[in-house]
Amino acid sequence: MSSTDVPPRPGLLATITANRFLALLNESETPLSRSDIAQLSGISKPAISDAARRLEDSGVIVATGMREGRRGRVAALYEINAARGHSVALALDSAFVSARSVRLDGTIAFDKTEPLPHDAGSDYVIAVASGLLEAVEKASPTPLLAAAISVADPVDRITGEIIPMADSVFPAGHFNPVRDLNIEAAEVKIDNDVNWATLAEHRVGAMRSVGDFLYVHLGAGLGAGLFLGGNLQRGARGLAGEIGHLRLPGGDDLTRTLSRLGFGNAARAYGLDLEASRQLLLGLELSPATREGLDHLAVAIANMVTLLNSSAVVLGGPLAGLAPLENYFSTAIPVLSLDHVDVVVGTRSPLDGASHEAHRMARAGLGF
């Protein structure tokens, strides 16, 4: 018998069966019987029955009712046990803090956003985030299985530490969220907000079938998510895609140039003013200075598209949904790019990406 003919160990077969059992329950909108799962999976009924017993003993699934079948037979119906645990996602932004808790069965237990004043310091942000996490604990009195944190600052891809930058739209976010918020879970992942939004668009948003695209965040800060060959690219330390820091002729970066042209935020040393930007873009006619600013931004995006050969540009962030901006970029970016590129407005937020990943990690920790 060759090595390729050796059958898998019973333990491996049992694991595969359990994983398939849980995956089908997770995909179904209604409870399923063992017979249903055997039919959908193509796995034998005895193997499915064994998996059901193991999963029920471990508390991952629960019997939720009975269904009468032919000849008077009764079948137990199963669903994923929501009380087995939950995941939490936290988004730290210069303007707000958001938290979302998802039960193991995929239902949302808590979802709330608290605004931040423009002059909030680290202590204030930590206090607001801690309050939301306390509210999550009350809404989700089950074990915390996984957590994902989004921060509006670059994150070191190796250490998970926030990278302090002198020119930052969110200097109040320069702290260690895992340590300072006392987050304890088997799995914890931290990344910057643009990367989370990029992953959200690929996993549950407009780019689900697209392997190469550029995500551009248009908000108080400017950033880009680089999705290439089916994977998110973060760079050596996690600074890939910092489009707002690209240098323009004259020495200023893109963010400071836009600030000089009327998009700036007088209340902060660095970054754009969302309200001022909206007024510029929603006026009766775009001023020459506003058009110059949009041209600089369109050129920066088109250069990244040409460099990466992205098939699409996803516009995200609080300014992305403004019709004048969308119309401007939908025309300008394809004209400036070397190859065809679609320009679309994204539908997903950084919290969506972090929440999706936290729920995935919670399920993976239990085998599905």
Side-chain angles (χ1 to χ4, degrees):
M1 179 182 290
S2 69
S3 60
T4 57
D5 294 326
V6 176
R9 293 169 298 172
L12 178 58
L13 286 173
T15 299
I16 293 172
T17 300
N19 289 351
R20 187 61 180 144
F21 191 115
L22 291 169
L24 288 169
L25 278 185
N26 188 62
E27 295 166 4
S28 177
E29 296 181 358
T30 58
L32 299 175
S33 69
R34 286 172 290 184
S35 178
D36 293 332
I37 293 172
Q39 183 175 2
L40 291 169
S41 66
I43 299 174
S44 69
K45 290 183 180 180
I48 290 296
S49 295
D50 288 342
R53 282 193 291 271
R54 290 193 301 272
L55 292 170
E56 195 168 12
D57 289 343
S58 66
V60 179
I61 66 171
V62 290
T64 186
M66 307 295 287
R67 181 175 65 200
E68 288 191 14
R70 292 178 297 178
R71 301 177 182 177
R73 293 180 179 177
V74 177
L77 297 175
Y78 295 96
E79 64 183 7
I80 293 173
N81 183 11
R84 179 64 177 79
H86 68 280
S87 62
V88 65
L90 189 68
L92 307 174
D93 186 87
S94 60
F96 60 83
V97 177
S98 297
R100 179 181 298 161
S101 172
V102 177
R103 304 180 186 92
L104 188 61
D105 66 350
T107 57
I108 295 175
F110 181 88
D111 196 341
K112 188 175 182 181
T113 297
E114 292 284 358
L116 293 176
H118 69 83
D119 57 351
S122 295
D123 290 344
Y124 190 94
V125 175
I126 291 171
V128 172
S130 296
L132 284 172
L133 290 175
E134 290 176 3
V136 166
E137 288 185 11
K138 293 179 181 178
S140 307
T142 60
L144 176 59
L145 303 174
I149 304 168
S150 169
V151 185
D153 274 312
V155 175
D156 190 305
R157 64 182 296 269
I158 303 299
T159 67
E161 294 283 333
I162 292 171
I163 301 174
M165 299 179 68
D167 288 335
S168 169
V169 300
F170 190 36
H174 294 174
F175 61 92
N176 187 313
V178 178
R179 181 194 64 215
D180 296 336
L181 296 174
N182 298 313
I183 296 176
E184 296 182 2
E187 296 286 343
V188 181
K189 187 176 292 186
I190 182 170
D191 207 340
N192 78 62
D193 55 345
V194 179
N195 285 343
W196 282 125
T198 304
L199 288 172
E201 290 296 344
H202 177 67
R203 292 172 176 174
V204 293
M207 296 287 107
R208 270 174 284 191
S209 60
V210 181
D212 293 85
F213 68 92
L214 179 71
Y215 178 92
V216 180
H217 177 85
L218 304 169
L222 302 172
L226 316 181
F227 202 85
L228 306 175
N231 293 289
L232 179 67
Q233 306 299 319
R234 295 179 172 84
R237 281 193 70 202
L239 291 167
E242 290 291 339
I243 190 173
H245 293 277
L246 293 179
R247 296 290 175 174
L248 300 183
D252 275 342
D253 67 16
L254 181 58
T255 301
R256 292 194 185 280
T257 300
L258 289 174
S259 295
R260 175 174 54 80
L261 293 170
F263 294 84
N265 191 334
R268 289 194 179 95
Y270 192 81
L272 306 186
D273 185 318
L274 296 182
E275 187 54 39
S277 298
R278 290 189 181 96
Q279 291 179 9
L280 292 178
L281 295 169
L282 295 176
L284 294 178
E285 185 175 349
L286 298 181
S287 71
T290 300
R291 289 181 178 275
E292 181 183 350
L294 293 179
D295 284 342
H296 283 306
L297 188 50
V299 168
I301 295 171
N303 283 344
M304 295 186 75
V305 168
T306 297
L307 181 66
L308 304 172
N309 195 202
S310 306
S311 64
V313 172
V314 182
L315 305 177
L319 298 178
L322 300 180
L325 186 145
E326 179 187 357
N327 294 337
Y328 202 92
F329 285 162
S330 294
T331 300
I333 292 173
V335 169
L336 294 167
S337 301
L338 180 64
D339 199 5
H340 173 78
V341 61
D342 295 318
V343 179
V344 301
V345 174
T347 60
R348 300 295 176 173
S349 69
L351 186 65
D352 292 330
S355 179
H356 185 277
E357 177 62 11
H359 184 55
R360 186 203 66 77
M361 290 190 298
R363 291 179 300 162
L366 295 173
F368 69 108

